[in-house]
Amino acid sequence: LLHRDFPYAPEGDYPTVLSRILYEGALVEAVMQIAGVSEQTALGYDDWQMEWLNKNEHKLWEEIVGRKYLFSSDRQLASSLISPAPFTSAVGPEVPGAAGRFIGHRIIASLLDNRAVALSELLSPSFYESSTALAESKYK
């Protein structure tokens, strides 16, 4: 229902990886709030995958930033970061699949720790395509 009511609808012809992971993170947050489930359940990870991501979150973020993925407009790259798979091929074979959704949610969670934002705003292109969303989140 969320995908139907709030589809990923970037306004430009060349959406960035960052906009896609922010959108995916907002979807995870919406599922958590609406269904009352944990982050792990909303992401669909088993215990090992969630433990790996928690333990390696900062290293994963540094890889994504260091490889200059955030502002890439490569749709295939975005897809490899957020799509279900045995592993996240854009980063490495040890990284659980859809790790971009995990990072996207962590950015959203950081933003929500700093200020209240309605789900409808998080799921709108004006948010996930904003040039200030990442900075406002204070995610590190």
Side-chain angles (χ1 to χ4, degrees):
L1 292 173
L2 288 169
H3 280 286
R4 185 197 69 203
D5 292 345
F6 298 95
Y8 180 63
E11 295 167 349
D13 292 333
Y14 303 101
T16 64
V17 167
L18 177 59
S19 77
R20 187 58 193 257
I21 66 172
L22 287 174
Y23 169 78
E24 294 294 330
L27 284 178
V28 171
E29 182 63 30
V31 169
M32 289 173 61
Q33 287 187 27
I34 293 167
V37 298
S38 69
E39 180 184 41
Q40 180 176 341
T41 300
L43 286 163
Y45 290 129
D46 63 29
D47 291 341
W48 179 88
Q49 291 168 317
M50 196 66 196
E51 182 180 331
W52 191 97
L53 288 163
N54 281 323
K55 186 177 177 182
N56 294 285
E57 177 180 354
H58 296 293
K59 188 162 76 172
L60 175 60
W61 176 244
E62 288 172 4
E63 282 290 314
I64 291 170
V65 171
R67 293 181 185 195
K68 301 183 185 333
Y69 286 168
L70 287 183
F71 300 105
S72 170
S73 60
D74 183 338
R75 291 172 197 240
Q76 194 134 19
L77 173 60
S79 181
S80 74
L81 288 166
I82 57 106
S83 295
F87 61 92
T88 301
S89 62
V91 184
E94 73 284 359
V95 181
R101 294 182 74 229
F102 169 81
I103 290 294
H105 181 255
R106 291 297 170 100
I107 294 168
I108 296 297
S110 181
L111 175 72
L112 293 174
D113 284 346
N114 291 303
R115 68 179 178 97
V117 183
L119 284 177
S120 58
E121 182 183 340
L122 291 174
L123 291 164
S124 73
S126 63
F127 169 75
Y128 57 77
E129 290 203 304
S130 165
S131 61
T132 61
L134 180 60
E136 288 175 11
S137 77
K138 299 179 182 169
Y139 180 77
K140 298 178 190 176

